[in-house]
């Protein structure tokens, strides 16, 4: 009978059912999305493993055979987006094809991912097209990609050569046996993962619990009519539970539709450089079954729990009488119990068996659920003490005094989300130093570094970069060693050859002109520079070995009598040189073999495309890799992935917060339609009513955010203590989270104004 009431209650019943179904459906869609995430991550990992090829390690190459393939790294970067690229040269008819590729591209051809093809064919990808001029002859199928928006390509290359000790080109006989990151369990990252999932999932459950109570007051008045025609109180509660059950089942259907729509659109979305194919988002059957069972069960339990304090009699509902004051003792037990569970974990060995993940999960859950228990008590106590004011203020306060529980339910979800987000921000900020490695680079002096790989003459490369758009300065160095003997030397010292402007970036020089040479003694340890720098001594270039494919031809160099002394300073990568510094004019006649070129680039910071111009020049010069960006710090990949997941999940939860608040606001306005019409009929101004509705939203939100901030700071402090980090409050993050929540509420208030104005008409008093 209750289910029939849900579906056959006329226009009012349909409106109530629709609001409940949409509210529950939004939460169900997000729950299904979260249940699909483990499968999406597993598929991405499997496909990444299946296509792995290069080990990037110096190892003995395989012997050429009819089932071998030469693979070279040809990846690049475009506007901070990684472009995965490989060069291929099959050595026989049974050479392995990469996953997703049906035919090897020939030299001058390439197969690309759909996203890269779209980019290259657009005007936006014109600069990237200069680096990838090959003709597109096909696309990489889904099994060869980890995401729908991934940029990737394979191109043919006739002249790939495998060199021992050079990890960018290798010979393989199958894909899936390349470089793999060793898996390790970091307890801090495990803790972060647990808290992230709890913080993202708990608001969803709170929203679903609030959605199944839409239309509660009207429902209770209908139940009074049932008492009048003969049903007893137990039967009445079962009918109410059946009505809630029907609404939740409709919500499951609507949520499934929402999820399928989001799943279909997921292939065209790239959030924080993470994308998936729709086929990845397949919910785990067990978790999906759990959602399908838990949502209706929660709807029934919440309804029965809500009716425990309502007396439904044949002549009406006893709700308008003064309600009993909410008790604090059991509400405060929840957060206190949560802190009690977390406290024993402080100071424990996080790498030992005494770090109990279930205890941590329970503690975090109790603290966050404590927000939902405390907020109704806080709202009731505060609004009962608020005094007189304008007409809009009095209308809002009186409404809140009569139904503070409804107002608290509206903001419970956003309060839980803010409390969890504040705690997570504190935890991420507190442990980021543990997962952030500071480099020795100085990006203020140079922003890119290019390695010549002994394949491009340094002078030609430097000249090419100097004429590149967006490159302000070029510092070019040739580096090698000189020794005291032609063969089997006893002493050797590094040598750096560059023009005066470049040498001044690595040493403090007394004066410099072409033809000068300088000696820099080592700061500590054994130093051969002093003994080797005696005037008239003969030193030898390339006397140590003939590595990197360079012929072993030692070249003599006589130490000049007027050699100057210099003091070393750190270069843009933090390296401090010693040994000898030579200008090009001081080199032996015919140059010196065995030198390795390095170039540092200072870019025009006002030109965003400057790095891409430099990368294009590097490829025109024939460099096998892009110049490396110099950064001051690098973060752990797993930590970064977790932060990315948090941002993606937070975006979804924030969207749910806004949508659910809007649905809840519309439901509240629909409930008050006759009241608003009565006030308008008595001459109340629309501005006054609009302000009263705004106050009714703003006061609970303000109280909820204050409580959420306090609980979030307590939870964040406990989690930081567990990780052994000092408790530091990141007030910027706290203000950002509360500001975002406030912005969402303001947006919802603005969007609810048009339906509010439509409801404020005297003809709303008409009834049948």
């Amino acid at each position: 009978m209750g289910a029939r009431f849900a579906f056959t209650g006329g226009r009012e019943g349909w409106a109530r059912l629709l609001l409940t179904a949409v509210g529950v459906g939004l939460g169900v869609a997000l729950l299904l999305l979260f249940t699909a995430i483990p499968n999406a991550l597993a598929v991405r990992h499997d496909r990444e493993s299946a296509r792995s090829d290069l080990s990037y390690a110096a190892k003995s190459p395989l012997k050429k055979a009819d089932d071998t393939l030469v693979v070279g790294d040809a990846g690049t970067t475009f506007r901070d987006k990684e472009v995965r690229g490989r060069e291929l040269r099959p050595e026989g008819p049974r050479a392995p094809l990469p996953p997703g590729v049906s035919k090897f591209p020939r030299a001058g051809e390439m197969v690309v991912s759909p996203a890269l093809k779209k980019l290259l064919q657009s005007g936006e990808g014109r600069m990237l097209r200069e680096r990838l001029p090959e003709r597109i002859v096909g696309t990489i199928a889904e099994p060869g990609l980890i995401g729908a928006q991934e940029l990737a390509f394979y191109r043919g290359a006739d002249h790939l050569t495998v060199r021992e000790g050079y990890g960018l080109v290798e010979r393989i006989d199958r894909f899936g046996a390349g470089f793999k990151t060793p898996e390790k369990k970091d307890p801090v990252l495990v803790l972060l993962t647990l808290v992230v999932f709890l913080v993202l999932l708990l608001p969803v459950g709170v929203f679903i619990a609030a959605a199944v109570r839409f239309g509660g007051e009207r429902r209770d008045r209908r139940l009074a009519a049932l008492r009048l025609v003969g049903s007893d109180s137990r039967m009445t509660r079962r009918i109410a539970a059946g009505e809630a059950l029907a609404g939740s089942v409709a919500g499951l259907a609507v949520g499934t539709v929402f999820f399928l729509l989001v799943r279909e659109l997921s292939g065209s979305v790239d959030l924080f450089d993470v994308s998936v194919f729709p086929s990845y988002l397949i919910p785990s059957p067990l978790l999906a079954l759990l959602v399908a069972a838990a949502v209706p069960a929660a709807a029934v339990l919440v309804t029965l729990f809500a009716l425990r304090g309502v007396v439904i009699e044949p002549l009406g509902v006893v709700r308008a009488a003064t309600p009993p004051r909410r008790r604090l003792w059991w509400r405060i037990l929840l957060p206190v119990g949560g802190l009690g569970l977390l406290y024993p974990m402080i100071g424990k060995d996080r790498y030992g068996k005494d770090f109990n993940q279930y205890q941590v999960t329970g503690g975090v859950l109790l603290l966050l659920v404590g927000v939902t228990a405390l907020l109704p008590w806080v709202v009731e106590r505060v609004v009962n003490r608020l005094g007189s004011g304008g007409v809009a203020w009095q209308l809002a306060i009186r409404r809140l005094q009569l139904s503070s529980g409804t107002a608290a339910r509206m903001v419970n979800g956003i309060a839980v989300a803010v409390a969890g987000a504040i705690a997570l921000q504190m935890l991420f900020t507190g442990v980021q130093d543990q997962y952030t490695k500071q480099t020795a680079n100085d990006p203020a002096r140079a922003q890119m570094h290019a390695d010549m790989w002994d394949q491009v003459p340094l002078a030609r490369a430097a000249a090419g970069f100097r004429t590149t758009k967006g490159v302000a300065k070029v510092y070019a160095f040739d580096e090698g060693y000189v020794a005291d003997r032609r063969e089997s030397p006893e002493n050797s010292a590094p040598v750096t050859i560059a023009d005066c402007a470049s040498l001044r970036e690595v040493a403090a020089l007394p004066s410099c002109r072409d033809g000068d040479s300088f000696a820099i003694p080592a700061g500590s340890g054994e130093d051969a520079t002093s003994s080797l720098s005696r005037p008239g001594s003969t030193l030898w270039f390339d006397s140590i070995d003939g590595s990197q494919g360079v012929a072993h031809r030692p070249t003599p160099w006589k130490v000049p009598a007027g050699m100057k002394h210099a003091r070393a300073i750190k270069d843009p990568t933090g390296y401090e040189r010693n040994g000898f510094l030579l200008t090009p004019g001081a080199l032996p006649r015919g140059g010196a073999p065995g030198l390795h070129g390095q170039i540092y680039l200072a870019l025009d910071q006002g030109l965003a495309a400057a790095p891409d111009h430099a990368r294009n020049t590097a490829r025109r010069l024939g460099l096998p890799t892009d110049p490396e960006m110099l950064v001051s710090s690098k973060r752990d990949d797993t930590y970064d992935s977790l932060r990315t997941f948090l941002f993606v999940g937070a975006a979804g939860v924030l969207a749910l917060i806004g949508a659910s608040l809007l649905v809840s606001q519309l439901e509240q306005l629909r409930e008050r339609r006759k009241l608003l019409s009565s006030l308008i009929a008595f001459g109340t101004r629309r501005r006054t009513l609009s302000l009263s509705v705004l106050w009714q939203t703003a006061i609970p939100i303000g109280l909820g955010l204050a409580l959420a901030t306090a609980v979030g700071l307590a939870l964040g402090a406990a989690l930081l203590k567990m990780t052994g980090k000092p408790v530091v409050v990141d007030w910027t993050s706290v203000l950002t989270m509360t500001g975002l929540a406030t912005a969402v509420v303001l947006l919802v208030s603005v969007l609810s104004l048009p339906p509010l104005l439509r409801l404020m008409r005297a003809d709303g008093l008409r009834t049948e």
Side-chain angles (χ1 to χ4, degrees):
M1 188 179 287
R4 285 183 61 193
F5 285 158
F7 289 99
T8 61
R11 189 167 61 179
E12 285 288 330
W14 280 105
R16 184 173 60 254
L17 179 67
L18 180 63
L19 287 172
T20 302
V22 171
V24 174
L26 288 169
V28 168
L30 205 57
L31 284 177
L32 289 175
L33 196 60
F34 279 128
T35 63
I37 285 175
N39 182 69
L41 294 176
V43 174
R44 280 174 63 94
H45 180 267
D46 291 344
R47 291 191 174 173
E48 182 66 62
S49 298
R51 71 180 184 182
S52 63
D53 40 35
L54 299 174
S55 64
Y56 297 102
K59 63 179 185 179
S60 300
L62 294 173
K63 292 183 179 180
K64 179 179 177 181
D66 64 350
D67 65 344
T68 56
L69 173 72
V70 179
V71 182
D73 188 352
T76 185
T77 303
F78 180 68
R79 294 183 181 176
D80 297 328
K81 282 186 173 290
E82 293 296 323
V83 182
R84 185 183 189 272
R86 295 290 188 267
E87 293 180 323
L88 306 175
R89 181 171 66 83
E91 295 185 306
R94 296 193 297 123
L97 277 166
V101 177
S102 58
K103 182 182 177 183
F104 284 112
R106 294 194 292 264
E109 297 177 346
M110 65 179 176
V111 291
V112 298
S113 64
L116 181 57
K117 183 177 182 179
K118 181 180 178 181
L119 177 62
L120 291 174
Q121 291 175 345
S122 68
E124 186 184 359
R126 181 178 53 83
M127 288 187 64
L128 181 59
R129 193 63 172 147
E130 294 180 27
R131 254 174 281 168
L132 303 174
E134 290 82 7
R135 184 167 62 93
I136 298 175
V137 295
T139 55
I140 304 172
E142 185 178 321
L145 301 170
I146 63 170
Q149 299 301 312
E150 185 185 16
L151 305 178
F153 68 90
Y154 292 100
R155 65 186 178 196
D158 285 341
H159 305 294
L160 275 181
T161 304
V162 180
R163 287 189 289 165
E164 192 170 349
Y166 182 75
L168 295 178
V169 179
E170 294 182 21
R171 179 179 287 115
I172 64 172
D173 56 5
R174 62 189 175 95
F175 284 89
F179 176 75
K180 294 179 183 177
T181 306
E183 293 186 5
K184 58 179 181 178
K185 269 196 172 184
D186 186 327
V188 175
L189 292 179
V190 171
L191 174 65
L192 279 170
T193 305
L194 281 174
V195 179
V196 166
F197 270 96
L198 289 173
V199 166
L200 294 180
L201 286 175
L202 198 55
V204 180
V206 173
F207 283 132
I208 291 176
V212 296
R213 295 185 65 179
F214 285 169
E217 293 184 17
R218 285 178 178 267
R219 178 203 61 204
D220 295 346
R221 287 196 291 273
R222 289 195 315 279
L223 296 177
L226 289 173
R227 291 297 312 277
L228 187 62
V229 296
S231 71
D232 59 23
S233 58
R234 292 181 62 188
M235 185 186 297
T236 304
R237 282 168 169 73
R238 288 201 300 273
I239 291 172
E243 192 173 351
L245 182 65
S248 65
V249 171
L252 282 175
V254 172
T256 303
V257 172
F258 284 163
F259 169 73
L260 292 175
L261 289 174
V262 171
R263 181 175 180 266
E264 203 58 38
L265 294 172
S266 63
S268 58
V269 176
D270 186 9
L271 280 177
F272 304 103
D273 294 332
V274 175
S275 65
V276 296
F277 284 100
S279 61
Y280 290 11
L281 295 176
I282 300 176
S284 163
L286 185 62
L287 293 176
L289 187 64
L290 182 63
V291 170
V295 170
V300 172
L301 291 175
V302 166
T303 302
L304 295 176
F305 184 77
L307 290 175
R308 78 196 191 287
V310 178
V311 179
I312 302 172
E313 295 295 343
L315 297 180
V317 178
V318 182
R319 188 192 288 275
T322 304
R325 295 180 63 179
R326 289 182 168 86
R327 298 183 180 182
L328 178 63
W329 67 269
W330 69 268
R331 301 173 190 274
I332 203 73
L333 282 180
L334 293 174
V336 170
L339 289 174
L341 285 175
L342 295 178
Y343 182 77
M345 294 291 100
I346 296 174
K348 293 284 187 181
D349 178 13
R350 291 175 286 113
Y351 294 87
K353 294 181 180 179
D354 53 358
F355 186 75
N356 192 322
Q357 297 179 17
Y358 299 103
Q359 190 171 336
V360 172
T361 303
V364 174
L365 267 177
L366 283 176
L367 264 172
L368 293 179
V369 171
V371 175
T372 67
L374 282 171
L375 187 56
W377 182 87
V378 171
V379 172
E380 181 187 72
R381 287 294 184 274
V382 172
V383 297
N384 284 339
R385 286 170 170 74
L386 291 177
S388 61
V391 176
W393 176 264
Q394 289 187 51
L395 286 172
I397 294 302
R398 187 57 185 148
R399 180 67 193 182
L400 289 173
Q401 289 172 347
L402 287 173
S403 58
S404 61
T406 303
R409 281 199 304 273
M410 280 184 62
V411 299
N412 259 336
I414 199 167
V416 170
V418 170
I422 288 174
L424 269 179
Q425 287 292 342
M426 286 180 64
L427 184 55
F428 270 109
T429 303
V431 302
Q432 68 178 354
D433 290 344
Q434 185 175 336
Y435 300 100
T436 303
K437 181 182 179 182
Q438 298 297 324
T439 69
N441 298 335
D442 185 0
R445 294 168 60 192
Q447 292 76 48
M448 298 188 90
H449 165 240
D451 197 315
M452 296 299 102
W453 292 98
D454 304 320
Q455 295 176 355
V456 181
L458 183 69
R460 182 165 72 87
F465 282 118
R466 286 192 180 97
T467 58
T468 298
K469 183 179 180 181
V471 176
K473 295 178 182 177
V474 177
Y475 307 113
F477 304 91
D478 259 329
E479 299 176 344
Y481 284 87
V482 291
D484 55 358
R485 295 180 184 176
R486 180 185 178 96
E487 294 180 0
S488 303
E490 290 184 358
N491 294 308
S492 63
V495 60
T496 302
I497 300 104
D499 58 29
C500 290
S502 297
L503 289 179
R504 286 195 174 95
E505 287 295 310
V506 299
L509 308 178
S511 63
C512 183
R513 62 180 180 181
D514 194 27
D516 285 350
S517 55
F518 306 88
I520 302 179
S524 61
E526 296 183 6
D527 177 28
T529 306
S530 300
S531 61
L532 294 175
S533 61
R534 289 192 297 269
S537 301
T538 298
L539 303 180
W540 297 84
F541 282 89
D542 195 32
S543 63
I544 298 175
D545 60 28
S547 63
Q548 303 297 329
V550 179
H552 186 50
R553 296 192 304 270
T555 303
W557 172 60
K558 196 170 186 178
V559 178
M563 177 172 285
K564 305 173 184 178
H565 286 272
R567 178 177 56 83
I569 58 177
K570 292 180 180 179
D571 70 8
T573 61
Y575 174 59
E576 194 169 305
R577 287 168 171 76
N578 59 6
F580 298 97
L581 305 180
L582 308 180
T583 55
L587 274 176
R589 184 174 298 177
L595 298 178
H596 187 83
Q598 306 278 345
I599 287 182
Y600 301 95
L601 305 176
L603 304 179
D604 179 0
Q605 297 300 298
L607 182 64
D612 282 311
H613 284 296
R615 294 180 187 118
N616 285 354
T617 297
R619 293 307 168 101
R620 281 197 301 271
L621 291 169
L623 295 181
T625 59
D626 287 345
E628 176 192 6
M629 292 297 298
L630 298 180
V631 294
S632 57
S633 62
K634 293 181 180 179
R635 274 209 294 254
D636 178 81
D637 288 341
T638 308
Y639 175 85
D640 249 5
S641 299
L642 199 55
R643 279 187 71 98
T644 300
F645 173 68
L646 171 63
F647 290 139
V648 173
V653 171
L654 197 61
L656 175 69
I657 285 173
S660 296
L661 276 178
L662 183 59
V663 172
S664 181
Q665 185 82 325
L666 294 177
E667 189 268 340
Q668 291 292 313
L669 293 176
R670 190 181 66 84
E671 286 268 320
R672 300 173 196 168
R673 182 178 61 187
K674 287 191 177 181
L675 174 62
L676 294 172
S677 299
S678 300
L679 290 170
I680 288 293
F682 277 100
T684 311
R685 291 185 301 175
R686 289 174 177 245
R687 177 186 173 190
T688 302
L689 285 179
S690 300
L691 279 175
S692 74
V693 172
L694 181 61
W695 280 122
Q696 287 172 47
T697 306
I699 292 172
I701 284 292
L703 296 174
L705 291 181
L707 178 63
T709 302
V711 174
L713 291 176
L715 177 56
L719 294 174
L720 283 173
K721 283 288 188 182
M722 288 168 54
T723 60
K725 299 292 181 182
V727 178
V728 178
V729 179
D730 184 3
W731 289 110
T732 304
S733 297
V734 173
L735 294 175
T736 301
M737 291 310 305
T738 53
L740 281 174
T742 306
V744 169
V745 173
L746 289 176
L747 179 61
V748 168
S749 300
V750 170
L751 291 176
S752 63
L753 281 178
L756 172 64
L757 295 175
R758 283 199 301 272
L759 290 173
M760 286 192 292
R761 296 173 183 170
D763 59 6
L765 290 172
R766 291 177 181 174
T767 187
E768 294 181 6

